[in-house]
Amino acid sequence: MKILHTSDWHIGRTFHTHQTQEHLRVVFDALVDIVRERHVDVVAVAGDIFDSATPSADSYALLSGTLSRLHATGARVVLTSGNHDSATRLGFQSEWAGLAGIHVVTGFDQYRTPISIDDEHGPVHFYGIPFLEPALVRHHYPDELLKTHEQVLGLAMRQVRADLAERGGRSVVLSHCFAAGVAASDSASDVERDISAGGLDLVPISVFDGPDYVALGHIHGRARISDRVRYSGAPLHFSFAEADKPRGAWLVDLDAAGLAAVEWVDLPIPRRLSVLTGELETLTHDDAFTANESDWVAAVLTDRVRPLDGMRTLQKRFPHCVALEHRPAVTEAAAGSTYSARVKHKSDPEIVAGFLEFVRNGVGFSDFERDLVAEVLGQTTDAAV
């Protein structure tokens, strides 16, 4: 059986206020082609289908169209809700979708009855575990201590293993969490909303003992926790912090004995992300940056003085420049004395000049500014008199 493991579609997310629907459509077209060309039997989507609990009509249309095209390839689909999703909205009419081979798992205990799909070697049981917020599920299990995501998933996996012991056969688990081996603070980008308090809710890999393969979601970068426990990452870049992370999915092959092989398949990147560093004049005129003109661009300007209207100037060459940071290459060392000591016995113009030098990294008055400050301070003094 061939399984394509993907996750974190985040349909409806914007990138620095820009819509990503059309870029995501390009990626989904490629994903459908992979499923058809590689004869994939099951597409497993491990959570965060939508980016919002209240998806737009366009987001629903994109999901519906993609699932329809996946169904047309002959593949089955198993998808679960993540922490960004509304389980109720995503799961609406899931019973009917299941009749067409599109299995949407959102119920808090729905994983206890697996989706069993047969191949020539017998059944493969898919246990889809939706994102389970401890505060929202603990009342269903009054005799269990369920304060952390580790404890909730520990309970779920004990139930999965017990069910699997009775059924027999091969198995795949889908889950949406921070697994041990992937540090939340190091691997999460600014768009991966923390699903723990203080980053303490890591789930040890031992919790997932048993299944032949564990398809994880939540981390937006590809990660291998073990041969059988992996993150596929998101299909699009949603943050410049993800710029160096490849986009794709895992193609998992199960034979009669269980996990046989796992292969990475790349997905297209509709628009690259580039972080460009240099002075404004260099970035806007140097031929070395010609290849970046159609990229999403985050610019780091190293000019000693912050350029006026820097973003507008950059966008003349880089139309998709969406972020700007001023990080001077040369800065003045901070003075050791207090502010009151530094301004003592100084005139008002000298104080203003000192302020300008501080905020502009050592660059003080221009002739025009000196005359302007003198004029303003003179008017202030006359008015006070």
Side-chain angles (χ1 to χ4, degrees):
M1 179 176 290
K2 288 187 177 181
I3 303 161
L4 190 70
H5 165 202
T6 177
S7 72
D8 295 274
W9 288 0
H10 288 279
I11 301 173
R13 183 165 187 87
T14 59
F15 182 78
H16 291 266
T17 74
H18 294 266
Q19 293 294 327
T20 62
Q21 300 283 67
E22 291 309 310
H23 287 180
L24 200 53
R25 194 183 307 278
V26 171
V27 174
F28 285 162
D29 287 345
L31 188 144
V32 172
D33 289 342
I34 291 170
V35 171
R36 181 184 300 107
E37 293 165 4
R38 302 298 294 270
H39 305 290
V40 171
D41 300 294
V42 181
V43 179
V45 193
D48 279 354
I49 311 304
F50 292 117
D51 187 65
S52 167
T54 55
S56 67
D58 288 343
S59 296
Y60 273 111
L62 180 55
L63 175 63
S64 178
T66 301
L67 294 178
S68 295
R69 286 182 293 132
L70 287 172
H71 175 264
T73 68
R76 307 278 286 274
V77 178
V78 180
L79 59 85
T80 62
S81 52
N83 59 300
H84 281 245
D85 296 307
S86 163
T88 302
R89 288 186 172 88
L90 182 62
F92 179 64
Q93 293 190 338
S94 59
E95 181 178 355
W96 303 106
L99 299 177
I102 307 295
H103 304 280
V104 184
V105 183
T106 61
F108 79 93
D109 61 350
Q110 204 172 341
Y111 62 86
R112 298 175 66 174
T113 303
I115 297 145
S116 298
I117 301 173
D118 292 326
D119 66 6
E120 66 270 26
H121 304 299
V124 176
H125 307 297
F126 288 82
Y127 295 89
I129 304 177
F131 173 68
L132 300 176
E133 174 63 51
L136 299 180
V137 301
R138 65 169 66 108
H139 67 281
H140 294 292
Y141 305 96
D143 297 329
E144 297 280 348
L145 178 63
L146 301 177
K147 292 185 176 181
T148 68
H149 207 213
E150 174 186 348
Q151 291 167 341
V152 173
L153 283 177
L155 170 63
M157 285 303 302
R158 289 196 300 272
Q159 294 171 330
V160 165
R161 284 189 288 269
D163 182 82
L164 188 58
E166 293 185 7
R167 294 179 187 273
R170 297 155 295 161
S171 61
V172 173
V173 164
L174 291 76
S175 182
H176 197 82
C177 65
F178 276 126
V182 178
S185 60
D186 294 337
S187 297
S189 75
D190 55 349
V191 295
E192 293 158 348
R193 296 177 195 157
D194 198 356
I195 56 176
S196 63
L200 300 178
D201 217 356
L202 290 173
V203 179
I205 190 175
S206 59
V207 166
F208 294 108
D209 286 348
D212 293 286
Y213 185 77
V214 180
L216 295 179
H218 188 57
I219 296 296
H220 285 191
R222 176 184 68 184
R224 173 189 171 277
I225 310 303
S226 73
D227 283 343
R228 62 180 192 85
V229 182
R230 299 173 186 248
Y231 286 97
S232 66
L236 277 185
H237 291 116
F238 294 113
S239 165
F240 282 101
E242 303 169 3
D244 61 343
K245 299 177 181 179
R247 303 291 88 170
W250 292 111
L251 185 60
V252 181
D253 191 3
L254 298 184
D255 61 13
L259 184 63
V262 182
E263 175 189 351
W264 177 255
V265 290
D266 288 310
L267 287 170
I269 298 174
R271 178 167 286 126
R272 296 183 309 173
L273 276 68
S274 296
V275 179
L276 307 181
T277 303
E279 293 187 353
L280 181 61
E281 179 69 18
T282 301
L283 294 184
T284 54
H285 292 89
D286 194 327
D287 290 341
F289 300 106
T290 300
N292 306 108
E293 290 178 354
S294 62
D295 297 352
W296 292 119
V297 169
V300 180
L301 296 184
T302 59
D303 301 72
R304 190 166 185 176
V305 178
R306 180 186 293 272
L308 294 175
D309 212 8
M311 178 62 86
R312 187 184 300 275
T313 303
L314 284 164
Q315 287 177 339
K316 291 178 180 178
R317 183 177 192 185
F318 308 105
H320 307 291
C321 182
V322 294
L324 174 61
E325 177 185 355
H326 183 224
R327 193 188 302 164
V330 179
T331 59
E332 294 293 312
S337 58
T338 65
Y339 176 76
S340 59
R342 295 198 302 273
V343 302
K344 189 176 182 180
H345 305 307
K346 288 189 176 181
S347 65
D348 289 345
E350 289 174 328
I351 293 173
V352 175
F355 172 76
L356 285 177
E357 289 178 4
F358 176 76
V359 299
R360 299 199 304 200
N361 300 294
V363 179
F365 278 139
S366 67
D367 291 341
F368 170 78
E369 290 168 338
R370 182 179 293 102
D371 294 341
L372 180 62
V373 168
E375 180 182 346
V376 171
L377 290 176
Q379 291 175 352
T380 303
T381 302
D382 293 341
V385 175

